[in-house]
Amino acid sequence: MTLFEELNRVATRIAPNEALPVCPWCGAGHLNVIEETPDPNFGALGVSSLTLRCDASACGRLTKT
Ligand SMILES: [Zn+2]
């Protein structure tokens, strides 16, 4: 499984009451959804593109799905 596939899998699992996924880059922070926009190709099907940000100050990496 590629990292990109893993991130997509993680993103689709995110729900308000679930624990945030651990950042795959640093393994310490957690990924927060900071932006959700309709997917440019599949938005009509209800697919969203998520922007995730690691909450670890030393990392803070942005990830787009
Ligand atoms: Zn991180």
Side-chain angles (χ1 to χ4, degrees), residues 23 25-27 29 54 56 59-60:
C23 173
W25 303 104
C26 67
C54 177
C59 179

Side-chain angles (χ1 to χ4, degrees), residues 1-52:
M1 179 178 285
T2 67
L3 177 60
F4 187 73
E5 288 171 333
E6 170 69 9
L7 287 172
N8 270 326
R9 190 182 65 78
V10 167
T12 57
R13 269 198 321 115
I14 295 175
N17 295 324
E18 283 190 58
L20 293 169
V22 173
C23 173
W25 303 104
C26 67
H30 293 84
L31 298 179
N32 290 292
V33 178
I34 61 171
E35 188 178 15
E36 181 175 1
T37 54
D39 185 276
N41 297 312
F42 303 107
L45 301 176
V47 176
S48 291
S49 177
L50 299 175
T51 301
L52 308 169

